[in-house]
Amino acid sequence: EERGLAFHYTAELTPRTDRPGEALAISGTRMTAEQAFELDRADPERWEELRKLFTVEDRSRLSNKSPDLFICGAGVTGFHINPYGKMLFCPSIETLGWDLRKLSFREAWRRFADFRRIQAPSERACNDCDLNVACGTCAGSANLEHNDMTRGVEFLHRLTGLRAEAFGLKLRENEKGAWIVDDVTQAPV
């Protein structure tokens, strides 16, 4: 903080990006969603950030109901270049990118549009979720967790539900397992 940078913690453990799916090996190491939620509550600054996120009047800001697999900023507002000169669409998905020693930056950036057009499978719960923007589950985190970009991350799903309910959102899961906000109650915040 003395350098003008704010510290931000996360309860996520990220396995090696070159071996997606190894998160299963860390499942006994990761704290539970309930433990992460208690850390949130114990940090007044973090809790205030979450309160602002979950108590917006315009609830559509909590969700992106796009049919696209990538509903984040990958390839639109950001990219990653690894130490080997590979320009990655998403830093969590090593298979989606190009070697800048063989392709120009401009051409690699132009090709990112192909990834942006990938549609999510219709059974993917995250695209139907009323809280997917607030959640943090994305194709990249799913790839790291399961070696499958189309799945959700249960830890993040559960943590998001706990946070939303703490701020008065009445939730239910639909047939796919997506959070649906039914109503807003008065919550002790």
Side-chain angles (χ1 to χ4, degrees), residues 1-177:
E1 290 181 346
E2 69 257 10
R3 293 191 172 120
L5 302 172
F7 173 76
H8 176 78
Y9 75 90
T10 179
E12 289 180 69
L13 287 177
T14 304
R16 294 171 55 165
T17 58
D18 63 338
R19 293 186 185 165
E22 283 192 358
L24 298 177
I26 64 166
S27 61
T29 306
R30 173 190 282 160
M31 67 178 64
T32 65
E34 290 75 13
Q35 290 168 323
F37 176 74
E38 289 306 319
L39 282 177
D40 287 342
R41 289 185 70 116
D43 181 338
E45 288 179 33
R46 177 71 173 150
W47 196 247
E48 179 61 16
E49 289 173 17
L50 291 169
R51 185 193 64 73
K52 288 176 183 175
L53 175 65
F54 285 99
T55 59
V56 294
E57 286 193 34
D58 180 5
R59 298 254 178 251
S60 68
R61 294 180 57 204
L62 294 173
S63 180
N64 177 351
K65 296 292 181 98
S66 169
D68 300 331
L69 180 60
F70 295 97
I71 57 176
C72 59
V76 175
T77 60
F79 63 92
H80 176 75
I81 299 175
N82 74 15
Y84 307 103
K86 187 173 184 181
M87 184 172 168
L88 302 172
F89 178 74
C90 168
S92 300
I93 307 173
E94 295 250 337
T95 57
L96 300 181
W98 292 273
D99 187 339
L100 290 178
R101 295 171 295 178
K102 298 176 182 174
L103 190 69
S104 73
F105 179 91
R106 181 184 303 272
E107 181 60 19
W109 184 261
R110 188 191 65 71
R111 290 184 184 186
F112 279 172
D114 295 337
F115 296 142
R116 295 296 310 177
R117 287 191 282 273
I118 297 172
Q119 298 288 288
S122 60
E123 65 274 6
R124 185 171 191 252
C126 298
N127 288 64
D128 290 338
C129 184
D130 284 349
L131 301 174
N132 63 12
V133 170
C135 177
T137 292
C138 63
S141 62
N143 183 65
L144 290 175
E145 187 90 2
H146 307 293
N147 196 21
D148 179 350
M149 295 182 286
T150 66
R151 292 179 60 187
V153 177
E154 181 57 34
F155 169 81
L156 295 172
H157 174 77
R158 177 77 185 124
L159 180 57
T160 301
L162 291 168
R163 290 169 171 168
E165 288 175 340
F167 291 105
L169 301 181
K170 185 177 174 189
L171 304 176
R172 66 177 169 83
E173 288 183 308
N174 71 7
E175 64 282 353
K176 294 180 185 179

